[in-house]
């Protein structure tokens, strides 16, 4: 069953073609990873999926419902789809606990008590229970990113979008964040991931898509794409990655 | 200063610490005092000094009118405090109106833009005269006639336009990622403003708002042109009678007693804010 269906998606920023006729499906429990050079359109694609940016042509359907469907409002969409950003984007004037319980309480009508219990349970799972009353700026980058993951999970989304969630982290903090995502995969979470961590992409993905110039150039299971890529552009990209020691 | 880690000076013992920390202060204080006394000697010896002293620094006159000027100053400060509260709220509303997206909010947006352009473009004095003399002259039943009310309203209208722009710059300075995060959590426009944007915006602009508050603290004296018996007006009444300006000095001293600590406080908040930002970017 397809949970995310992207059809002939085209997007311009001004005159610049950023996404060029992209079609991609993500099935139930599937983890699909987008890789590609900086500026190839990965973040833009992800942001189209949860309606953070508009697109010019094509359609995106979540569980069969188009984003253009008037009855498919923000509350329903963002109940289904969660996102974690590279820059964490926690609200700095709120405690960790308030960051996490904001959407459950204000958008989904949960009581303060229920949402806080649930938040504390999630924080405990990620070894963050001591930080419930801290402010984001008192936490390390890795801790902030794990809080951001908890915040995205607090509304119990069925689909998770991850945009280079480890790119701003020191190397020693990356592992802790990625292991959380691997854990989510074993629990069956459907995910669309953008990452520069090729080792992680290889371990966690069911399918990897290589983007270049706003197009999906190659799409294959990780074992295949990382070892015997067919397209020369994919080969060149992976070659550069290997040379820089990131695979 | 307080949190210095053990410096070489400390290890060398207390006599060198004395040299390095206390001596510079002693030198500064002495230098200031020396210059002060030299200037004073020059001024006091000047031929005109007795006349200046009698005109501006007549202690007897100052003592005589001080209660009235102080009472007037109380009015100044009351108008100031009330205006501050109203401005803080009204300007925030204007900034929010201006920031709203969507065709239905166009009237509010246009209203805010026109309001801000008009009132920022006019001298406060003109507004005070217009409101303070013009409105009561209309004799509309039900509208207050008090010139303090209309004068304060003029100051509030004018300063709100500035404060609204300050708030707006604060809202603009909130990173786009915060809006994206709020939207992706399902918050609507109002919730995004209330929980994500405004708390950060307000925190960012508190120093600028305090600077406006300091400016307003002096500008409330404009109400004296309406005949409001504030500190300046009381001083002027005496001056007109006796041609002695010491009472204006009395009013000046009262304003300084209020504005200098306020300005220092603003500096302190600004500095604390700057440090907080530095820490965050590290
Ligand atoms: N808000 C915007 N306005 C104009 N152009 C934009 C905007 N956002 C992105 N772009 C352009 O769209 C293209 C794709 O950007 P995108 O952020 O999707 O790339 P990316 O693959 O995520 O890159 P990176 O790996 O560096 O994050 C880039 O050329 C970028 O300059
Ligand atoms: Mg990106």
């Amino acid at each position: 069953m397809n949970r995310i269906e992207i059809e002939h998606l085209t997007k311009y920023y001004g005159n610049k073609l950023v996404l060029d006729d992209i079609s991609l499906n993500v099935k139930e429990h599937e983890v699909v990873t987008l890789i590609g050079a900086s500026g190839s359109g990965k973040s833009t694609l992800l942001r189209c999926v949860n309606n953070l940016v508009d697109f010019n042509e094509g359609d995106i359907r979540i569980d069969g419902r188009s984003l253009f469907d008037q009855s498919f409002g923000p509350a329903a969409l963002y109940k289904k789809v969660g996102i974690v950003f590279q820059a964490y984007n926690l609200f700095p004037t709120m405690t960790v606990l308030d960051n996490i319980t904001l959407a459950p309480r204000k958008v989904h009508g949960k009581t303060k008590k229920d949402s806080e219990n649930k938040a504390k349970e999630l924080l405990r799972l990620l070894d963050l229970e001591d930080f419930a009353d801290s402010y984001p700026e008192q936490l390390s980058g890795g801790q902030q990113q794990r809080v951001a993951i908890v915040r995205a999970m607090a509304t119990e989304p069925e689909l998770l979008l991850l945009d280079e969630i480890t790119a701003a982290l020191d190397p020693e903090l990356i592992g802790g964040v990625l292991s959380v995502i691997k854990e989510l995969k074993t629990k069956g979470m459907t995910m669309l991931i953008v990452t520069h961590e090729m080792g992680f992409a290889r371990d966690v993905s069911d399918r990897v898509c290589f983007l270049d110039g706003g197009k999906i150039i190659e799409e294959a299971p990780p074992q295949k794409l990382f070892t015997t890529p067919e397209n020369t552009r994919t080969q060149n990209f992976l070659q550069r990655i290997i040379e820089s020691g990131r695979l | 200063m307080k949190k210095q880690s053990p410096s070489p000076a400390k290890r060398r013992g207390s006599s060198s610490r004395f040299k390095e920390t206390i001596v510079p202060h002693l030198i500064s204080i002495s230098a200031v005092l020396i210059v002060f006394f030299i200037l004073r000697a020059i001024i006091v010896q000047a031929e005109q000094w007795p006349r200046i002293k009698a005109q501006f620094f007549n202690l007897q006159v100052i003592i005589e009118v001080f209660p009235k000027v102080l009472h007037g100053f109380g009015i100044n400060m009351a108008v100031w405090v009330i205006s501050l509260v109203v401005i803080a709220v009204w300007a925030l509303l204007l900034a929010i109106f201006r920031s709203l997206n969507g065709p239905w909010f166009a009237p509010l947006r246009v209203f805010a833009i026109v309001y801000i352009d008009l009132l920022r473009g006019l001298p406060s004095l003109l507004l005070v005269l217009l409101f303070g003399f013009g409105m009561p002259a209309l004799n509309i039943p039900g509208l207050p006639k008090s010139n303090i009310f209309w004068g304060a309203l003029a100051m509030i209208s004018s300063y709100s336009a500035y404060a609204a722009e300050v708030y707006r710059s604060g809202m603009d300075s909130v990173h786009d990622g915060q809006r994206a995060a709020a939207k992706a959590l399902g918050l609507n426009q109002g919730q995004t403003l209330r929980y994500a944007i405004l708390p950060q915006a307000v925190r960012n602009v508190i120093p600028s708002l305090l600077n406006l508050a300091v400016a307003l603290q002096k500008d409330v004296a404009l109400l004296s042109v309406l005949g409001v018996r504030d500190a300046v007006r009381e001083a002027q009444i005496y001056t007109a009678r006796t041609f002695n300006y010491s009472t204006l000095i009395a009013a000046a001293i009262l304003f300084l007693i209020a504005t200098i600590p306020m300005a220092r406080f603003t500096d302190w908040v600004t500095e604390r804010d700057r440090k907080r930002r530095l820490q965050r970017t590290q």
Side-chain angles (χ1 to χ4, degrees), chain A residues 26-239:
Chain A
V26 181
K27 289 195 274 291
E28 171 91 334
H29 303 310
E30 196 180 25
V31 176
V32 174
T33 300
L34 306 171
I35 62 171
S38 182
S40 56
K42 307 181 297 291
S43 300
T44 309
L45 176 56
L46 222 54
R47 280 157 185 258
C48 283
V49 171
N50 73 342
N51 220 3
L52 290 181
V53 295
D54 298 331
F55 44 91
N56 301 83
E57 280 162 49
D59 194 9
I60 296 178
R61 284 187 299 273
I62 308 289
D63 288 337
R65 295 177 81 183
S66 164
L67 292 186
F68 295 111
D69 185 346
Q70 289 298 323
S71 68
F72 191 33
L77 170 64
Y78 296 115
K79 178 83 189 77
K80 272 195 199 294
V81 188
I83 187 167
V84 183
F85 301 93
Q86 174 179 341
Y88 335 132
N89 295 350
L90 296 173
F91 303 128
T93 54
M94 281 182 208
T95 64
V96 164
L97 197 61
D98 289 343
N99 261 282
I100 298 168
T101 57
L102 181 65
R105 288 172 59 194
K106 303 299 173 190
V107 183
H108 305 293
K110 295 266 161 57
T111 66
K112 186 173 157 74
K113 191 160 165 282
D114 284 353
S115 53
E116 286 190 348
N117 286 341
K118 166 97 183 158
K120 283 182 178 153
E121 188 187 311
L122 287 168
L123 285 172
R124 204 158 28 242
L125 281 177
L126 299 198
D127 268 336
L128 292 163
E129 67 265 43
D130 294 343
F131 299 107
D133 297 320
S134 305
Y135 285 88
E137 60 192 13
Q138 298 170 313
L139 271 56
S140 77
Q143 289 160 347
Q144 287 188 53
Q145 192 59 293
R146 281 182 288 148
V147 170
I149 294 171
V150 172
R151 184 173 70 172
M153 299 303 300
T155 52
E156 300 172 345
E158 298 156 38
L159 311 167
L160 200 54
L161 311 174
L162 307 175
D163 191 358
E164 295 194 41
I165 58 170
T166 57
L169 297 180
D170 292 334
E172 70 270 22
L173 300 175
I174 292 177
V177 171
L178 293 186
S179 65
V180 173
I181 303 306
K182 287 178 186 163
E183 182 69 25
L184 285 175
K185 180 188 160 73
T186 62
K187 288 181 183 158
M189 179 64 89
T190 308
M191 292 187 275
L192 183 56
I193 301 178
V194 172
T195 186
H196 283 300
E197 295 289 326
M198 296 305 153
F200 168 66
R202 196 176 44 197
D203 293 349
V204 82
S205 315
D206 297 306
R207 215 148 29 101
V208 180
C209 302
F210 171 65
L211 261 78
D212 194 28
K215 269 184 181 312
I216 295 181
I217 301 287
E218 188 163 352
E219 185 180 334
Q223 310 82 301
K224 166 128 195 350
L225 193 120
F226 286 118
T227 49
T228 54
E230 280 168 13
N231 192 291
T232 48
R233 279 195 268 176
T234 319
Q235 289 162 4
N236 291 340
F237 175 76
L238 290 174
Q239 190 60 40

Side-chain angles (χ1 to χ4, degrees), chain B residues 12-159:
Chain B
R12 262 184 274 125
S14 63
S15 78
S16 66
R17 184 165 72 217
F18 176 78
K19 263 190 210 154
E20 284 184 29
T21 61
I22 305 203
V23 169
H25 287 297
L26 287 180
I27 295 176
S28 318
I29 293 169
S30 325
V32 171
L33 285 177
I34 289 168
V35 171
F36 173 77
F37 280 110
I38 292 173
L39 282 177
R40 192 185 147 200
I42 294 171
I43 291 169
V44 170
Q45 274 175 11
E47 223 178 298
Q48 310 294 339
W49 174 244
R51 271 187 53 213
I52 295 173
K53 191 176 168 188
Q55 273 288 359
F56 290 103
F57 301 102
N58 187 328
L59 203 58
Q60 223 184 327
V61 170
I62 291 179
I63 292 170
E64 190 188 326
V65 294
F66 192 75
K68 281 190 167 170
V69 175
L70 185 64
H71 180 262
F73 188 68
I75 294 176
N76 286 116
M77 290 301 101
V79 170
W80 178 60
V81 170
I82 293 167
S83 303
L84 276 188
V85 175
V86 180
I87 290 165
V89 176
W90 176 226
L92 185 60
L93 277 176
L94 285 169
I96 292 171
F97 290 171
R98 202 170 172 169
S99 77
L100 291 176
N101 290 320
W104 287 105
F105 293 119
L108 286 178
R109 216 162 42 230
V110 170
F111 166 76
I113 292 170
V114 171
Y115 177 100
I116 291 168
D117 281 352
L118 275 185
L119 288 152
R120 257 195 334 165
L122 294 173
S124 308
L125 177 59
L126 195 152
L127 285 171
V128 168
L129 292 170
L130 209 59
F131 279 50
F133 288 134
M135 289 304 202
L138 287 178
N139 259 325
I140 297 173
L143 279 189
K145 291 232 166 50
S146 137
N147 47 11
I148 294 191
F149 174 84
W150 288 109
L153 197 66
M155 298 307 295
I156 288 168
S157 308
S158 165
Y159 269 75

